[in-house]
Amino acid sequence: MILFCRKYDKTLAMVFAVLTISFFVLTAISTDFFNWAFDRHHNQLSWYIRPVFLIPFCYFAFKKSWSGMTATIFLLFTSMFWFPKPEESNQSVMEFLEMEKGWLRGNWDFVKMIMALLVPLSFVSLGMAFWKRSVRIGLTVLVLIAMGKMAWSVAYGGKSGQSILVPAIVGLLICIAMVWWGIHKAKKP
């Protein structure tokens, strides 16, 4: 299996890149799909699991696996709708996700486009750090990604934006611990 993945690494990476782009296109053009996905994103399990996907992303970057990195990105973005719609949602969660939906569906000016470009730029920075085996820079980027998400959430969501703080901090601590442990274990002969 490993030889198959290495032999077809770039081909598999393209497949997952196309799937990820297709997910974004479907989300952009289908209001029904957009709302269906966000209804399931009310389940806070998806809030806790999403940051954990940065662990395999870092691992695959460290191992120089394009397919692993793109598969992880695809799984991270689609994980928002893996869990069932909760029967009841916390009021802050509902308010925050409504703000997020409004932000995504609202007018796209230059500032919003620059802010949205920070997401792929963050992945590129994180991937490059671990690809070049710079664990300290990689962990710094992880912290900056989490801090950026928390800052954006509170700045745009106000009090409801605080609802992501605990999942983001827990996810960040798990990511730092697991990446640090994994990288050091991978470096040992």
Side-chain angles (χ1 to χ4, degrees):
M1 181 67 173
I2 292 172
L3 291 175
F4 174 82
C5 287
R6 285 190 186 170
K7 183 176 180 182
Y8 297 105
D9 186 54
K10 290 185 180 168
T11 303
L12 289 170
M14 289 301 294
V15 167
F16 282 109
V18 167
L19 286 171
T20 302
I21 291 167
S22 299
F23 167 73
F24 284 118
V25 169
L26 181 60
T27 303
I29 64 173
S30 173
T31 303
D32 289 340
F33 179 76
F34 180 84
N35 289 331
W36 175 85
F38 265 88
D39 282 348
R40 276 138 194 82
H41 197 34
H42 280 82
N43 190 325
Q44 283 193 291
L45 288 173
S46 69
W47 294 27
Y48 283 93
I49 195 172
R50 292 184 92 192
V52 176
F53 280 104
L54 296 175
I55 298 166
F57 181 84
C58 296
Y59 171 80
F60 287 123
F62 192 81
K63 291 294 191 175
K64 300 184 187 236
S65 170
W66 290 104
S67 59
M69 292 166 60
T70 55
T72 303
I73 290 170
F74 175 72
L75 293 171
L76 182 149
F77 285 120
T78 61
S79 69
M80 72 182 289
F81 60 78
W82 289 3
F83 299 99
K85 179 181 176 181
E87 291 184 24
E88 290 184 30
S89 290
N90 178 303
Q91 186 64 32
S92 291
V93 169
M94 291 178 8
E95 289 172 13
F96 177 72
L97 289 177
E98 282 304 312
M99 178 283 302
E100 205 168 41
K101 285 169 63 175
W103 191 87
L104 289 168
R105 290 289 189 181
N107 292 332
W108 280 76
D109 59 10
F110 181 74
V111 172
K112 189 184 276 191
M113 284 188 252
I114 295 298
M115 290 180 70
L117 284 173
L118 289 175
V119 174
L121 190 63
S122 297
F123 277 107
V124 168
S125 300
L126 186 61
M128 283 177 56
F130 284 101
W131 193 280
K132 300 238 182 221
R133 303 208 183 309
S134 178
V135 177
R136 284 195 177 102
I137 292 174
L139 291 174
T140 301
V141 173
L142 270 175
V143 170
L144 291 173
I145 289 170
M147 289 174 55
K149 173 63 176 172
M150 289 185 281
W152 179 87
S153 299
V154 172
Y156 282 85
K159 187 168 174 66
S160 70
Q162 294 175 9
S163 61
I164 71 120
L165 295 180
V166 171
I169 291 168
V170 168
L172 176 62
L173 294 175
I174 291 170
C175 286
I176 289 171
M178 293 302 295
V179 167
W180 188 262
W181 175 81
I183 297 298
H184 284 289
K185 185 171 173 114
K187 285 183 175 180
K188 290 183 180 177

